Amino acid sequence: MPWRGFLKDPLSYSWVPQYLTGYLRGAVIRARYALDRRVEIGSGFVVEGPFKICGEGRVRIGHGVKVRRSNTYPVCIRTLAPDAQVTIGDGSELGGVQILCGKEVILGERTLAANCRIQDTDFANLELDKWPGSVRTGKGVWLGLTSILLKGAEVGDWAIVAAGSVVERAVEGLALAMGNPARPIRGVFS
Amino acid sequence: MSSTWRDLVARARGEWIRWKLYARSLGRVQIGSGFRAFGPVEVIGQGRITIGRNVTVDRDPFGARAVSLQTQGSRDAQIEIGDEVSLLGTHISCGQRVVVQRKAWIEDARIMDSDFHETGASSERKTLSVASAVEVTIGEGAMIAGRAMVLKGAKIGAGATVRPGSIVLREAPDFLTVVGYPARVERVAVPGPPLAATAGEKRDPANNKDSKPK
């Protein structure tokens, strides 16, 4: 049956139906959370891969957020406490992002993030980490592949976090931060 | 109520996995009683794996990875996991010996006691080799966070904390926190709120007793 082969072989997709199914899945997920007070999802939500929200905290997703497909991780937002709050700004694009929130995670508008992990507690159990902090990123931040934001990370507007780096402090706006732990690299954009 | 139900299911699944692995490996994988499996366990290789009592096994916090215990090279490779350890999506690759002592909490970190390949000509690199393996020990009550790596010869002390994304090459002292690559002791050694929180309190004029109103 040609239809089954079409579903099995991802190469036989042209980009057009995949693009459309992304919008469709986004609309379905948005409709599913429409009655859920904890989760607010803005319009134009696109989901192109596996996506899930778990935990009892609040999750706010802005308008026009796109969840891309990653071959490594599903996109997952997990809150650990009822008063935990995750905010994702308008027009962000997330691929394979894992967010673990015990208190507060704020991603600014137009964030680009790939395979990165954002956690404001060190462990998935709040009994093991007594002081969850907060993670904030500004507008237009680019989080490189497999980078990690730990509690206390504050990334300024239009900053770039290099691939594989671990941020645990403040990074200025319009700067490049790299390394583990991440340090700013000067003179890149000046 | 639901947590009790989940717990019962995990115990039943654990019991099933325990006997299945024991039978399949002809007694080389031994798991103690009270084993709770909230997710699958992958066992690869011919080595010996000993797991203590009341061990909990789960997927990682995001449901992406399952626990994987791999013994490579020969049948002499040995993984020893103590009582009441929690493994959440942990990968352990073992060429010689990996010891996890009791009450440790390990999230989706990787623990490898060998490079598994030799440096040299490309023909040598291609074959698996555990000649460089050095024992890895994880102390009692140690906590290892997600995406961390514990590499050959590393020794993590009792009650030590490894923060997310750090790569431990040598030693993490008892009851201290390590972070970075290579992992070094974090400056805040005294248990208490993180520095940022304390700084905020000091800056807040309402909380600061030293500042006098003019």
Side-chain angles (χ1 to χ4, degrees):
Chain A
M1 205 173 155
W3 175 244
R4 292 187 75 183
F6 177 75
L7 279 181
K8 268 183 190 167
D9 182 11
L11 289 180
S12 65
Y13 282 93
S14 70
W15 71 272
V16 177
Q18 200 174 2
Y19 188 77
L20 290 178
T21 49
Y23 273 91
L24 208 66
R25 283 190 64 188
V28 167
I29 288 171
R30 198 177 163 221
R32 193 190 133 197
Y33 284 113
L35 291 177
D36 196 337
R37 280 189 183 176
R38 302 165 305 139
V39 179
E40 290 171 30
I41 299 179
S43 59
F45 187 52
V46 176
V47 177
E48 289 179 359
F51 172 74
K52 62 182 166 183
I53 298 174
C54 31
E56 63 245 21
R58 290 179 66 87
V59 176
R60 271 188 204 173
I61 296 176
H63 299 291
V65 170
K66 295 184 178 179
V67 173
R68 302 292 192 201
R69 191 186 181 87
S70 158
N71 60 3
T72 347
Y73 301 109
V75 175
C76 180
I77 299 172
R78 177 155 189 172
T79 50
L80 298 174
D83 54 346
Q85 184 145 12
V86 178
T87 309
I88 295 171
D90 298 349
S92 303
E93 291 201 30
L94 314 173
V97 174
Q98 299 174 324
I99 299 178
L100 186 65
C101 178
K103 194 176 161 194
E104 188 183 46
V105 169
I106 298 175
L107 300 188
E109 293 163 27
R110 310 186 67 177
T111 303
L112 274 177
N115 283 9
C116 70
R117 174 174 290 201
I118 297 159
Q119 47 186 51
D120 63 358
T121 65
D122 283 357
F123 298 97
N125 187 344
L126 283 183
E127 287 168 13
L128 297 181
D129 193 349
K130 298 277 196 302
W131 295 280
S134 64
V135 174
R136 291 153 195 263
T137 67
K139 204 201 271 183
V141 169
W142 180 11
L143 304 175
L145 204 71
T146 68
S147 57
I148 301 176
L149 301 194
L150 299 186
K151 59 183 174 187
E154 286 187 22
V155 185
D157 292 353
W158 307 107
I160 296 175
V161 175
S165 42
V166 178
V167 184
E168 47 173 359
R169 288 182 205 153
V171 174
E172 287 173 20
L174 271 175
L176 170 69
M178 63 191 282
N180 179 359
R183 279 173 276 260
I185 305 295
R186 294 192 179 185
V188 178
F189 299 108
S190 56
Chain B
M1 185 62 202
S2 65
S3 66
T4 325
W5 176 242
R6 264 195 86 206
D7 196 76
L8 280 174
V9 171
R11 276 174 193 277
R13 197 176 179 190
E15 201 68 15
W16 158 243
I17 287 175
R18 188 182 163 203
W19 289 104
K20 184 181 75 173
L21 290 179
Y22 185 81
R24 191 195 276 167
S25 67
L26 300 176
R28 266 177 281 106
V29 176
Q30 293 185 347
I31 302 180
S33 59
F35 185 63
R36 295 188 298 167
F38 292 96
V41 183
E42 188 186 51
V43 170
I44 292 173
Q46 301 288 312
R48 184 172 288 277
I49 297 175
T50 319
I51 298 180
R53 291 184 178 173
N54 297 329
V55 169
T56 306
V57 155
D58 200 347
R59 287 178 183 274
D60 75 333
F62 307 100
R65 305 266 156 156
V67 169
S68 173
L69 307 173
Q70 308 179 1
T71 48
Q72 312 275 5
S74 70
R75 291 185 160 220
D76 305 331
Q78 195 179 14
I79 299 178
E80 271 184 37
I81 294 173
D83 299 346
E84 295 170 52
V85 168
S86 301
L87 303 175
L88 287 82
T90 314
H91 280 225
I92 300 181
S93 315
C94 172
Q96 188 196 21
R97 195 167 138 93
V98 172
V99 181
V100 180
Q101 283 164 5
R102 57 192 288 273
K103 291 200 168 182
W105 170 284
I106 311 180
E107 284 186 12
D108 53 327
R110 278 143 207 269
I111 298 165
M112 300 195 273
D113 71 344
S114 168
D115 297 333
F116 297 109
H117 297 277
E118 281 179 19
T119 52
S122 63
S123 57
E124 287 170 23
R125 281 185 212 160
K126 278 175 192 163
T127 51
L128 181 89
S129 155
V130 292
S132 64
V134 188
E135 183 181 321
V136 168
T137 313
I138 291 160
E140 187 181 323
M143 301 189 291
I144 304 180
R147 293 207 191 171
M149 281 196 212
V150 179
L151 299 184
K152 63 172 183 179
K155 208 173 169 188
I156 291 176
T161 304
V162 178
R163 294 197 67 195
S166 36
I167 297 175
V168 188
L169 300 178
R170 285 174 203 140
E171 196 173 351
D174 293 359
F175 303 108
L176 294 184
T177 305
V178 295
V179 68
Y181 169 54
R184 297 192 185 92
V185 176
E186 207 173 35
R187 281 182 196 160
V188 194
V190 185
L195 272 183
T198 342
E201 279 168 21
K202 275 178 190 165
R203 244 181 271 134
D204 186 12
N207 267 345
N208 199 345
K209 289 167 191 167
D210 299 336
S211 66
K212 294 169 186 173
K214 287 176 184 175

